[in-house]
Amino acid sequence: MRVKCVLCDKIEKIEDQSPLAKKLRNRPIHTYMCQPCHSRIKVRTEERKTSGNFVTYRNSSKEESW
């Protein structure tokens, strides 16, 4: 299966029967990212976490009492 990275537009070939290929075929909303782009984002995110400029926004679930 041929896939294209969403960030750098690099075209790669992955195994047709791999779990990633099946996920991309069955759910078109999922996108492919090549390994260099994935590792670059991971490194930059870790840098932002250590610098203190990284904020995760999580919804606080409030339990309603009936």
Side-chain angles (χ1 to χ4, degrees):
M1 176 178 200
R2 288 177 43 172
V3 291
K4 186 176 185 180
C5 179
V6 294
L7 296 178
C8 65
D9 295 332
K10 180 179 171 183
I11 297 175
E12 292 183 353
K13 185 166 176 71
I14 61 173
E15 186 74 27
D16 286 336
Q17 299 302 319
S18 69
L20 177 61
K22 289 180 181 180
K23 182 174 77 170
L24 292 172
R25 267 195 311 272
N26 294 331
R27 297 186 181 113
I29 193 71
H30 291 260
T31 55
Y32 175 77
M33 193 180 326
C34 65
Q35 192 58 38
C37 290
H38 184 30
S39 61
R40 185 182 74 224
I41 288 175
K42 181 180 177 182
V43 168
R44 297 267 174 101
T45 303
E46 293 298 325
E47 288 174 359
R48 282 198 318 273
K49 280 183 179 179
T50 58
S51 70
N53 293 332
F54 186 79
V55 179
T56 56
Y57 298 100
R58 296 190 178 163
N59 294 338
S60 60
S61 61
K62 296 180 182 177
E63 293 186 25
E64 296 181 19
S65 61
W66 291 82

